[in-house]
Amino acid sequence: MTDRTTPAANGLAADLGQNIRVARKAQNISLRELARRAGISGSALSQIETGKTRPTVKTAYEIARQLGVTLTDLSAGVSSPGGAGFHAATGLFPPPAGQGDVVRDGLVAHMRQAVEFIPREAQQVVDLQGGEQFRVISGHSLPGANCLLLTYEPGAVSPPGEEFVRHAGHEFNYLAAGRLVIEVGTQRFELKPGDTLTFPATTPHRLSNPWAETAELVCVFVSAPGPRTEVTS
């Protein structure tokens, strides 16, 4: 079970708010404009960027979508589409800004052919609203897929309240520990350890843990090319 009391020993606490700010500025998008695109107020985005509040999973998804990156990218500090964060196996970083797309694309291509080892202590960990935490367990050498270890404390609901979330791509979910409810459209699934659930992420869905034990879910997001889809409740 994930130990959330000693994050330094179990992973790197990603500064999601700061990474959002860096990505936004790298793309020359104003705070007010990104907030408008993401469907939140400018003050709400400012509080997220400064670390005063944590975004819900729905808001985090939408901010990442509007920046053209993934939640995995944001946790690693990737500032622009097609960029790359620290490569744990080789120690490579993306080239400095201004050195050109050819160099940057070459680095990404190299990383996708690499064997990538990410020790637990180097994995990025992000806490979100609603009692949800995600740990990035995949790197940049797995094109088209993001692998997360999601932790849901007792009573956690993601997204909070009665809202549902939807986004581009597909999801594969494997419950490693505890129990978890995943609602997909009008269907309700109660997962126990070892159960799997796959669905198109464009279908409205939400996850909740109404039980007294912490749940851990391995989730693989497979991206889908094409026009962006709206994240709605």
Side-chain angles (χ1 to χ4, degrees):
M1 195 68 66
T2 301
D3 179 1
R4 300 184 65 178
T5 62
T6 55
N10 292 287
L12 301 175
D15 193 336
L16 191 63
Q18 179 178 334
N19 291 347
I20 291 171
R21 179 183 176 88
V22 170
R24 175 177 62 77
K25 289 194 169 186
Q27 298 186 43
N28 294 316
I29 304 173
S30 70
L31 186 146
R32 181 173 296 181
E33 174 60 18
L34 179 58
R36 184 193 66 78
R37 295 181 188 178
I40 59 177
S41 68
S43 61
L45 179 57
S46 177
Q47 289 185 331
I48 291 171
E49 287 192 351
T50 56
K52 294 179 180 178
T53 62
R54 295 171 181 167
T56 64
V57 65
K58 176 183 175 181
T59 298
Y61 271 129
E62 185 64 5
I63 290 173
R65 188 180 73 86
Q66 293 299 336
L67 290 170
V69 299
T70 66
L71 278 179
T72 299
D73 291 333
L74 275 183
S75 67
V78 173
S79 60
S80 61
F86 173 70
H87 187 255
T90 64
L92 292 174
F93 285 88
Q99 289 195 3
D101 292 337
V102 174
V103 175
R104 191 154 42 244
D105 290 346
L107 175 61
V108 173
H110 167 75
M111 292 171 65
R112 288 180 174 178
Q113 297 174 23
V115 175
E116 190 172 17
F117 169 68
I118 308 176
R120 181 177 176 85
E121 60 271 16
Q123 295 165 5
Q124 298 289 331
V125 180
V126 177
D127 287 305
L128 299 172
Q129 279 188 27
E132 180 184 17
Q133 178 193 79
F134 75 79
R135 174 185 292 270
V136 179
I137 57 177
S138 65
H140 295 278
S141 60
L142 191 62
N146 293 301
C147 303
L148 306 176
L149 177 62
L150 302 170
T151 302
Y152 296 89
E153 297 293 344
V157 179
S158 176
E162 299 298 323
E163 294 182 301
F164 282 66
V165 64
R166 65 184 180 97
H167 50 90
H170 284 72
E171 287 190 24
F172 167 81
N173 297 279
Y174 169 83
L175 191 65
R179 290 183 290 173
L180 197 66
V181 172
I182 302 182
E183 296 172 81
V184 183
T186 59
Q187 300 181 81
R188 185 179 189 272
F189 302 90
E190 292 188 7
L191 278 68
K192 60 184 185 300
D195 289 346
T196 67
L197 181 64
T198 306
F199 56 88
T202 51
T203 304
H205 55 280
R206 70 172 178 172
L207 301 88
S208 60
N209 178 11
W211 292 283
E213 56 185 324
T214 300
E216 290 190 341
L217 183 75
V218 176
C219 182
V220 180
F221 295 94
V222 181
S223 61
R228 294 175 173 178
T229 58
E230 293 297 325
V231 176
T232 62
S233 57

